[in-house]
Amino acid sequence: MLSYEGYSVSEIAKLYKVRTRTIYTWFNRWEEMGLVGLMILKGRGVKAKLDELSSVQIEQVKAVIQSDPRSLRNICRDLSELLGYKVTKNMLRRLVKKNSSTLGDALENA
């Protein structure tokens, strides 16, 4: 509607605090799907794979943390090999925070 009223893409981007590329994406989705194209779609973003660990895998993570508790880099490398996908420091921090009752002991005892 703002475009129809004469606003430029950069003005619209500033109003909504998004990149101009986002505005062009909105325009394309509007032309392809109409109003439905502007709705927030389900399943967007990267899923946190560490949230889906089983209790057995949590115990494996605990063992890896205890093996080298002073090096997040080494822990992430070892967990990446164990789990089969890249584990970042931020992913590990979130996992430890979420499972503090289980993994917190591993960090304290190490």
Side-chain angles (χ1 to χ4, degrees):
M1 290 172 54
L2 292 173
S3 176
Y4 180 76
E5 292 178 12
Y7 285 85
S8 71
V9 170
S10 39
E11 290 173 326
I12 297 170
K14 285 179 186 176
L15 283 170
Y16 285 102
K17 297 179 183 171
V18 296
R19 297 177 308 138
T20 54
R21 182 69 223 140
T22 302
I23 302 300
Y24 286 116
T25 300
W26 291 349
F27 286 165
N28 292 336
R29 287 174 55 193
W30 169 261
E31 289 176 5
E32 291 174 15
M33 298 184 278
L35 188 58
V36 174
L38 299 179
M39 295 173 63
I40 295 175
L41 304 175
K42 275 186 155 183
R44 294 180 9 191
V46 177
K47 305 299 179 264
K49 293 181 180 181
L50 293 181
D51 287 347
E52 302 169 0
L53 295 180
S54 68
S55 58
V56 172
Q57 289 173 315
I58 294 288
E59 289 302 315
Q60 291 173 330
V61 169
K62 187 175 179 179
V64 169
I65 291 172
Q66 288 175 335
S67 71
D68 192 5
R70 295 177 188 239
S71 174
L72 282 178
R73 181 183 304 157
N74 292 344
I75 292 171
C76 289
R77 182 199 63 224
D78 294 344
L79 287 176
S80 295
E81 291 173 10
L82 176 72
L83 299 173
Y85 53 85
K86 183 175 172 91
V87 175
T88 65
K89 291 177 185 178
N90 286 334
M91 291 170 71
L92 182 60
R93 286 184 187 113
R94 284 192 306 269
L95 177 71
V96 169
K97 186 175 181 179
K98 180 180 175 191
N99 295 286
S100 61
S101 60
T102 306
L103 295 176
D105 297 340
L107 292 172
E108 290 173 8
N109 296 333

